Amino acid sequence: MNIFFYLCDTTQTVESYIIKTGMHIHSTHLYRRLLLFFALLAMLPCLSQAEESELSIVIHTKKMEFTIPNSLFGFNLSDINSAFDGGLYAELVKNRSFEYDFPMMGWTPFGNVKIDSKEPCFENAPHYIHLLLRDEPMGVGIENEGFRGIPVTAGERYRFSCFARNYGVCDMKLIVELVSPSNVVICAKELTLSGKRWTKYITTLTSPITEGRAKLRISSRLRGAIDIDHVSLFPTKTFHNHPGGLRNDLAEAIADSKPQVLRFPGGNPIDRKNVTPSYSWKNTLTKVENRPTDISRWNYTIDKKKFPEYFQTYGFGLYEFLSYCEEIGAEPMLVVDCGLSSIVNNPKAKSTNVEEVLEEHIQDALDLIEFVNDAEEATWGEVRTEMGHPDPFNIKNLTIADNAKTSADFEYLSRFVEAIKHRYPKMELIGSAGTNPDAKEMENRIEFLKNCDIHIVDEQLFRSPEWFLANANKYDNYKRNTTKIVIGEMGATENNARSSLNSALREAAFMTGIERNADVVETCVYAPLLANAEAWQCAPDLIWFDNLRIAKTASYYVQQLFALHQGTHALSTTLNNQAIAGEKDLFASSQFDKNRNQIIVKIVNYSNNAQTTSFLLEGLKRNASKVIHHTLTSVHPELDNSLDNPNLIPPTQENLSIKNNILKVSLSPKSLHIFIFQL
């Protein structure tokens, strides 16, 4: 009995067992066998525990609950974090038309240089520079610093252009140079300027080196006078090689994530301190040279993070946005200003004629719909046709940005909606629920919007990472057959800190809840999308960039994996007969894709431990032929991809075998898994 007791007491070492029993070990072989015996005994509880903790998840293949909308996930494409000028829009010259509040901002003049606006080249951008050349030995000219430098890559070509006029009788030579930070000439070309009329001049430079902070210098050394306007430099390698187009790596990264929706221009350009329609989309429809420059709200909004050089040239305007959506297969979701934010934010609101504001904003919204949706014979349809797109873009909905709080505000919004519905009764309108509604406020907003004939409400969910995990079941008990939900902006944020795999997985957990309830939630849009690592205001962000590099975050890969592997019909998926929304730190959803004949299961394991799990395809009459397994995980979930280490946390893919429609796997700690069962 004593020996049996000590054999079962696995907390004792071999030595203590020997001492207690008085046993004498004369054989090394016996000692090793005894040591192995105790090791096996010690493992028995662990083996038993592992067997008990194996989880059984059931995918009910016969329960197709509802059709998944084809607009479920997307991005908010808004000009924040220096996303457009100096980012997605590939123009490399800062303040190319000398239209910033300080016209020489971004430029360093040398010699006799001044700003002028007499007889301008462009009505909406009247400023230009005047160069007067006498006998300066070093010549006269200007140098542009670019957006935190001008990036050039070895072997790549760059298209320089400007508009100029020559006051002299003789031709003038204009020297165009790219120079290094230490003023070494990288490459140069010479242009011949002739004639007193404004003329466009173009040349191409090829860089022999890679440099992230080059400068553009234009100068002349002959006697005479020159006017120069709209100085531009673009890489010839842009997205789809469009002249004057988008930065290739950023535009491709967005396209590669397969967003089903792109929201534009977002709430930030809408919510500004002016009374006129705050995003002047009509100004973005003229030729780029004649588009007026506007100040960004991020120029002045954040006291501790002011960006005095943050302006908007609108090179990436409404038409460019719609064309980009068309190219990458994303549905455009437009946001319009109803005027309430202007009245609320305008310091002179008391003296504002509210009726005039309302009528102006109604007409602006009607003109917008006419531009994107009406036939080419319509006034704004004709403008679209002249820009090269005779067919309508056929947008389906319009989001109304508003700050309605009082009964007068609600009456104002109701009249705005009525005017749009009267002319475009089939247009779906999306109303705002605000940025932080509690349950009661949300209920009141929904009732008001329904009375305005708005049946889709826009929630904006910028919350802590913990909130997303705790609210993965937020829509599980939402009332059906009532107002639908659009999440116009979403992102896990805390103290404006950059994201991590931990926060990305919490977002993924929440997104499984969206998929389980896609009969209620029509669209979920992530924001912000882009951030310049040297000039950002808000985090988290999906893609970080500098002049030469980009980094796709773990949150980017979550969004990409969800969008790439989207089914057509929702399936019931259970653990212990319950939806999987937190039990055992697991969060899951599944779908059937009738087009690819696949069952797709997404599951997040937020536990610190691996979890052995079996997946049963219940009710399936035929066996799945193979399984493709995508994983996003890391042993350092507190970290994220960065510009210096962009591949720290990459998604991985493998093929798995399945037998009798049962798949057994181990879900690694802190991980997202997507299983694709091919039928």
Side-chain angles (χ1 to χ4, degrees), residues 5-13 38 40-45:
F5 172 80
Y6 288 118
L7 287 175
C8 294
D9 185 3
T10 58
T11 64
Q12 308 300 320
T13 63
F38 274 96
L40 290 172
L41 278 180
M43 290 174 61
L44 284 176

Side-chain angles (χ1 to χ4, degrees), residues 606-624:
Y606 200 73
S607 169
N608 290 320
N609 302 309
Q611 302 204 59
T612 303
T613 309
S614 65
F615 293 90
L616 169 63
L617 303 181
E618 185 182 73
L620 199 63
K621 293 183 179 179
R622 53 183 170 172
N623 290 334

Side-chain angles (χ1 to χ4, degrees), residues 59-90:
I59 297 95
H60 303 274
T61 63
K62 290 186 176 181
K63 285 189 177 181
M64 293 193 188
E65 298 189 322
F66 50 82
T67 301
I68 303 291
N70 58 7
S71 58
L72 192 55
F73 293 116
F75 304 141
N76 190 57
L77 193 53
S78 181
D79 191 7
I80 184 175
N81 299 318
S82 304
F84 289 0
D85 288 357
L88 181 63
Y89 185 52

